[in-house]
Amino acid sequence: MVKLSLIVPVLNEAEAIGPFADRVAGVFAPHPDIAVELVFVNDGSSDASLAAMLAVKKPGLRVRVIDLSRNFGKEAALTAGLQHAGGDVVVPIDVDLQHPPEVILEMLAKWREGYEVVLGRRTDRASEPWARGKLAALFYRLHNRIASPQIPENVGDFRLMDRRVVEALRQLPESQRFMKGLFAWVGFRTASVDYSCAPRVAGRSRFSGWKLWNFAIEGVTSFSSYPLRVWTYLGILVSLAAFVFAVIVIFQVLIYGIDVPGYASLFVAVNLLGGMQLIGIGIMGEYLGRNYFESKRRPVYLVRHIYEDP
């Protein structure tokens, strides 16, 4: 008997919860050797999501609902799910059924071969806007070029993790959490299975372009100091260029007596260097802000109530 915990973050997904539970129950009904626990994490939903989660009653499914005190974000909801999941293997999965539950059976087969992490790798992004898919690919390339450890491309939170991996993740103390990076950081023996990302069964995505941009910044600053280091090299480059330009001006004045007009060049130089300094200060502010929030040592989330089947 294998105990499987599915971590399901929920934010205003009342219409999707019923179809999700039906699909999961149908997938695992022919496998009595797999005991399924649904760990719903209610991330401050303002609709009827909590009532829909509590109404889930399916043979073979044990339901636990972690009701957070407010909306803390998906990364915090995943953290709450990892803290409360009791399975031998744990799988974070979206309630909108873009992650097909059938793929979990393939993941379990890989786990039985000895792999401790089995990644769900998307083979297409047809259900997403074209621009979002391209920007996601660009983010993965940029992150993997400047940060360590590398994040597998086209892999989200949908993955199977052995109990040892979950216990390792529970030891990580940071408050500002980029879960894709943390999943990669802990390591362990890893395999992957491919799947096609399906359209949402109901509702709409809560990730706007602005949220995704901030999420990307969070990912880069969590696992790389390259944005800070690059300004050292940029400063050296600008200083060398200024020195070369100064030598040219002195040569022109002393040898040829050329009068060098300065208003336009001075205006451009001041604005260019001022803009560069402000960008550098902004990047330093991102890292300083992370240290500020980490130093407070606030909990990642707060639980209002835990509902679970007897």
Short mmCIF file of all heavy atoms in Angstrom, two decimals, residues 176-210:
data_model
loop_
_atom_site.label_atom_id
_atom_site.label_comp_id
_atom_site.label_asym_id
_atom_site.label_seq_id
_atom_site.Cartn_x
_atom_site.Cartn_y
_atom_site.Cartn_z
N GLN A 176 10.88 34.27 2.01
CA GLN A 176 10.61 34.59 0.61
C GLN A 176 10.97 33.36 -0.21
O GLN A 176 12.14 33.07 -0.44
CB GLN A 176 11.44 35.80 0.17
CG GLN A 176 11.21 37.05 1.02
CD GLN A 176 9.81 37.59 0.88
OE1 GLN A 176 9.35 37.88 -0.21
NE2 GLN A 176 9.11 37.73 2.00
N ARG A 177 9.94 32.63 -0.66
CA ARG A 177 10.18 31.30 -1.21
C ARG A 177 9.86 31.26 -2.71
O ARG A 177 8.77 31.64 -3.13
CB ARG A 177 9.32 30.27 -0.47
CG ARG A 177 9.57 30.27 1.02
CD ARG A 177 8.66 29.33 1.76
NE ARG A 177 8.98 27.93 1.55
CZ ARG A 177 9.93 27.28 2.20
NH1 ARG A 177 10.67 27.90 3.11
NH2 ARG A 177 10.15 26.00 1.98
N PHE A 178 10.83 30.79 -3.47
CA PHE A 178 10.66 30.51 -4.89
C PHE A 178 10.73 29.00 -5.02
O PHE A 178 11.80 28.41 -5.06
CB PHE A 178 11.76 31.20 -5.70
CG PHE A 178 11.67 30.95 -7.18
CD1 PHE A 178 10.60 31.39 -7.93
CD2 PHE A 178 12.69 30.26 -7.82
CE1 PHE A 178 10.53 31.15 -9.29
CE2 PHE A 178 12.64 30.02 -9.19
CZ PHE A 178 11.55 30.47 -9.92
N MET A 179 9.55 28.35 -5.03
CA MET A 179 9.50 26.91 -4.85
C MET A 179 10.18 26.14 -5.98
O MET A 179 10.80 25.10 -5.73
CB MET A 179 8.05 26.45 -4.70
CG MET A 179 7.35 26.98 -3.46
SD MET A 179 8.23 26.59 -1.91
CE MET A 179 8.14 24.80 -1.90
N LYS A 180 10.09 26.61 -7.21
CA LYS A 180 10.76 25.90 -8.30
C LYS A 180 12.27 25.81 -8.04
O LYS A 180 12.90 24.79 -8.30
CB LYS A 180 10.49 26.60 -9.63
CG LYS A 180 9.06 26.51 -10.13
CD LYS A 180 8.91 27.20 -11.46
CE LYS A 180 7.46 27.11 -11.97
NZ LYS A 180 6.51 27.81 -11.06
N GLY A 181 12.83 26.89 -7.52
CA GLY A 181 14.25 26.88 -7.19
C GLY A 181 14.56 25.98 -6.01
O GLY A 181 15.57 25.28 -6.01
N LEU A 182 13.69 25.99 -5.00
CA LEU A 182 13.91 25.14 -3.83
C LEU A 182 13.80 23.66 -4.20
O LEU A 182 14.56 22.83 -3.71
CB LEU A 182 12.90 25.48 -2.73
CG LEU A 182 13.00 26.89 -2.14
CD1 LEU A 182 11.95 27.08 -1.05
CD2 LEU A 182 14.39 27.17 -1.59
N PHE A 183 12.82 23.34 -5.06
CA PHE A 183 12.70 21.95 -5.52
C PHE A 183 13.99 21.50 -6.20
O PHE A 183 14.45 20.37 -6.00
CB PHE A 183 11.54 21.84 -6.52
CG PHE A 183 10.17 21.97 -5.90
CD1 PHE A 183 9.13 22.50 -6.63
CD2 PHE A 183 9.93 21.55 -4.61
CE1 PHE A 183 7.86 22.63 -6.08
CE2 PHE A 183 8.67 21.66 -4.04
CZ PHE A 183 7.63 22.21 -4.78
N ALA A 184 14.57 22.39 -7.02
CA ALA A 184 15.81 22.02 -7.72
C ALA A 184 17.00 21.97 -6.75
O ALA A 184 17.91 21.15 -6.91
CB ALA A 184 16.08 23.02 -8.84
N TRP A 185 16.99 22.85 -5.75
CA TRP A 185 18.16 22.97 -4.85
C TRP A 185 18.36 21.71 -4.03
O TRP A 185 19.51 21.31 -3.78
CB TRP A 185 17.95 24.17 -3.92
CG TRP A 185 19.14 24.47 -3.06
CD1 TRP A 185 20.21 25.27 -3.37
CD2 TRP A 185 19.38 23.97 -1.73
NE1 TRP A 185 21.10 25.29 -2.33
CE2 TRP A 185 20.62 24.50 -1.31
CE3 TRP A 185 18.68 23.14 -0.88
CZ2 TRP A 185 21.17 24.22 -0.06
CZ3 TRP A 185 19.23 22.85 0.37
CH2 TRP A 185 20.45 23.39 0.77
N VAL A 186 17.29 21.05 -3.59
CA VAL A 186 17.46 19.88 -2.71
C VAL A 186 18.03 18.68 -3.46
O VAL A 186 18.57 17.76 -2.85
CB VAL A 186 16.13 19.49 -2.02
CG1 VAL A 186 15.67 20.61 -1.09
CG2 VAL A 186 15.05 19.15 -3.03
N GLY A 187 17.89 18.66 -4.78
CA GLY A 187 18.51 17.59 -5.56
C GLY A 187 17.75 16.28 -5.51
O GLY A 187 16.57 16.23 -5.78
N PHE A 188 18.44 15.17 -5.19
CA PHE A 188 17.95 13.79 -5.18
C PHE A 188 17.86 13.24 -6.61
O PHE A 188 17.93 13.98 -7.60
CB PHE A 188 16.60 13.68 -4.47
CG PHE A 188 16.67 13.94 -2.99
CD1 PHE A 188 16.48 15.21 -2.46
CD2 PHE A 188 16.95 12.90 -2.11
CE1 PHE A 188 16.56 15.44 -1.10
CE2 PHE A 188 17.03 13.12 -0.74
CZ PHE A 188 16.83 14.40 -0.23
N ARG A 189 17.72 11.93 -6.70
CA ARG A 189 17.67 11.25 -8.01
C ARG A 189 16.40 11.65 -8.72
O ARG A 189 15.29 11.50 -8.19
CB ARG A 189 17.73 9.74 -7.82
CG ARG A 189 19.04 9.21 -7.27
CD ARG A 189 19.06 7.69 -7.31
NE ARG A 189 18.94 7.21 -8.68
CZ ARG A 189 18.57 5.97 -8.99
NH1 ARG A 189 18.23 5.11 -8.04
NH2 ARG A 189 18.50 5.60 -10.26
N THR A 190 16.55 12.12 -9.95
CA THR A 190 15.43 12.76 -10.66
C THR A 190 15.22 12.13 -12.03
O THR A 190 16.17 11.86 -12.76
CB THR A 190 15.70 14.27 -10.82
OG1 THR A 190 15.89 14.86 -9.53
CG2 THR A 190 14.53 14.95 -11.51
N ALA A 191 13.96 11.92 -12.35
CA ALA A 191 13.53 11.51 -13.69
C ALA A 191 12.40 12.44 -14.11
O ALA A 191 11.99 13.33 -13.36
CB ALA A 191 13.08 10.05 -13.70
N SER A 192 11.89 12.25 -15.31
CA SER A 192 10.80 13.09 -15.78
C SER A 192 9.86 12.29 -16.67
O SER A 192 10.25 11.28 -17.27
CB SER A 192 11.34 14.30 -16.56
OG SER A 192 12.03 13.88 -17.73
N VAL A 193 8.62 12.74 -16.72
CA VAL A 193 7.62 12.19 -17.65
C VAL A 193 7.00 13.37 -18.39
O VAL A 193 6.84 14.45 -17.82
CB VAL A 193 6.54 11.36 -16.92
CG1 VAL A 193 7.15 10.16 -16.25
CG2 VAL A 193 5.80 12.21 -15.89
N ASP A 194 6.66 13.17 -19.64
CA ASP A 194 6.09 14.23 -20.47
C ASP A 194 4.57 14.19 -20.40
O ASP A 194 3.95 13.13 -20.27
CB ASP A 194 6.55 14.08 -21.91
CG ASP A 194 8.04 14.30 -22.08
OD1 ASP A 194 8.64 14.95 -21.20
OD2 ASP A 194 8.61 13.81 -23.08
N TYR A 195 3.98 15.36 -20.52
CA TYR A 195 2.53 15.45 -20.59
C TYR A 195 2.15 16.69 -21.38
O TYR A 195 2.95 17.62 -21.52
CB TYR A 195 1.89 15.48 -19.20
CG TYR A 195 2.06 16.80 -18.46
CD1 TYR A 195 1.06 17.78 -18.50
CD2 TYR A 195 3.21 17.07 -17.73
CE1 TYR A 195 1.21 18.98 -17.82
CE2 TYR A 195 3.37 18.26 -17.05
CZ TYR A 195 2.36 19.21 -17.09
OH TYR A 195 2.52 20.40 -16.43
N SER A 196 0.93 16.69 -21.89
CA SER A 196 0.41 17.83 -22.62
C SER A 196 -0.47 18.64 -21.68
O SER A 196 -1.36 18.10 -21.03
CB SER A 196 -0.40 17.36 -23.83
OG SER A 196 -0.93 18.47 -24.53
N CYS A 197 -0.21 19.93 -21.60
CA CYS A 197 -0.96 20.81 -20.70
C CYS A 197 -2.36 21.04 -21.26
O CYS A 197 -2.52 21.57 -22.36
CB CYS A 197 -0.22 22.14 -20.54
SG CYS A 197 -0.84 23.17 -19.21
N ALA A 198 -3.37 20.63 -20.51
CA ALA A 198 -4.76 20.73 -20.98
C ALA A 198 -5.33 22.11 -20.68
O ALA A 198 -4.83 22.84 -19.82
CB ALA A 198 -5.60 19.65 -20.29
N PRO A 199 -6.41 22.50 -21.37
CA PRO A 199 -7.10 23.74 -21.02
C PRO A 199 -7.71 23.67 -19.63
O PRO A 199 -8.00 22.59 -19.11
CB PRO A 199 -8.19 23.86 -22.10
CG PRO A 199 -7.77 22.94 -23.19
CD PRO A 199 -7.00 21.84 -22.54
N ARG A 200 -7.91 24.81 -19.01
CA ARG A 200 -8.54 24.85 -17.69
C ARG A 200 -9.95 24.30 -17.76
O ARG A 200 -10.69 24.59 -18.71
CB ARG A 200 -8.59 26.29 -17.17
CG ARG A 200 -7.25 26.89 -16.80
CD ARG A 200 -7.41 28.33 -16.36
NE ARG A 200 -8.28 28.42 -15.19
CZ ARG A 200 -7.85 28.41 -13.93
NH1 ARG A 200 -6.56 28.33 -13.68
NH2 ARG A 200 -8.70 28.50 -12.93
N VAL A 201 -10.33 23.55 -16.75
CA VAL A 201 -11.67 22.99 -16.72
C VAL A 201 -12.71 24.04 -16.35
O VAL A 201 -13.88 23.93 -16.70
CB VAL A 201 -11.73 21.79 -15.74
CG1 VAL A 201 -11.58 22.24 -14.29
CG2 VAL A 201 -13.03 21.01 -15.91
N ALA A 202 -12.28 25.08 -15.63
CA ALA A 202 -13.19 26.15 -15.22
C ALA A 202 -12.36 27.34 -14.74
O ALA A 202 -11.19 27.20 -14.40
CB ALA A 202 -14.13 25.69 -14.10
N GLY A 203 -12.99 28.50 -14.71
CA GLY A 203 -12.34 29.69 -14.17
C GLY A 203 -11.26 30.24 -15.08
O GLY A 203 -11.15 29.89 -16.25
N ARG A 204 -10.42 31.11 -14.50
CA ARG A 204 -9.35 31.74 -15.27
C ARG A 204 -8.11 31.86 -14.39
O ARG A 204 -8.19 31.80 -13.16
CB ARG A 204 -9.78 33.13 -15.75
CG ARG A 204 -10.16 34.09 -14.63
CD ARG A 204 -10.59 35.45 -15.14
NE ARG A 204 -10.93 36.36 -14.06
CZ ARG A 204 -10.05 37.05 -13.35
NH1 ARG A 204 -8.75 36.93 -13.59
NH2 ARG A 204 -10.45 37.87 -12.37
N SER A 205 -6.97 32.05 -15.03
CA SER A 205 -5.72 32.15 -14.30
C SER A 205 -5.65 33.47 -13.53
O SER A 205 -6.10 34.51 -14.00
CB SER A 205 -4.54 32.06 -15.28
OG SER A 205 -3.33 32.32 -14.60
N ARG A 206 -5.08 33.41 -12.32
CA ARG A 206 -4.88 34.62 -11.49
C ARG A 206 -3.53 35.26 -11.72
O ARG A 206 -3.21 36.28 -11.14
CB ARG A 206 -5.03 34.26 -10.01
CG ARG A 206 -6.41 34.45 -9.43
CD ARG A 206 -7.39 33.50 -9.99
NE ARG A 206 -8.75 33.72 -9.50
CZ ARG A 206 -9.77 32.94 -9.84
NH1 ARG A 206 -9.59 31.92 -10.67
NH2 ARG A 206 -10.98 33.17 -9.39
N PHE A 207 -2.71 34.67 -12.58
CA PHE A 207 -1.37 35.21 -12.82
C PHE A 207 -1.42 36.22 -13.96
O PHE A 207 -1.52 35.86 -15.13
CB PHE A 207 -0.38 34.09 -13.17
CG PHE A 207 0.20 33.42 -11.97
CD1 PHE A 207 -0.30 32.21 -11.52
CD2 PHE A 207 1.24 34.00 -11.26
CE1 PHE A 207 0.23 31.58 -10.40
CE2 PHE A 207 1.78 33.39 -10.14
CZ PHE A 207 1.26 32.18 -9.71
N SER A 208 -1.36 37.50 -13.61
CA SER A 208 -1.28 38.56 -14.61
C SER A 208 0.16 38.71 -15.08
O SER A 208 1.09 38.13 -14.50
CB SER A 208 -1.78 39.87 -14.02
OG SER A 208 -0.94 40.29 -12.95
N GLY A 209 0.35 39.50 -16.12
CA GLY A 209 1.70 39.74 -16.61
C GLY A 209 2.59 40.38 -15.55
O GLY A 209 3.78 40.05 -15.43
N TRP A 210 2.00 41.30 -14.75
CA TRP A 210 2.79 41.97 -13.71
C TRP A 210 3.21 40.99 -12.62
O TRP A 210 4.34 41.03 -12.14
CB TRP A 210 1.97 43.12 -13.12
CG TRP A 210 2.66 43.88 -12.04
CD1 TRP A 210 2.33 43.93 -10.72
CD2 TRP A 210 3.84 44.70 -12.18
NE1 TRP A 210 3.21 44.73 -10.02
CE2 TRP A 210 4.14 45.22 -10.90
CE3 TRP A 210 4.65 45.05 -13.26
CZ2 TRP A 210 5.23 46.06 -10.68
CZ3 TRP A 210 5.73 45.88 -13.03
CH2 TRP A 210 6.01 46.37 -11.76
#
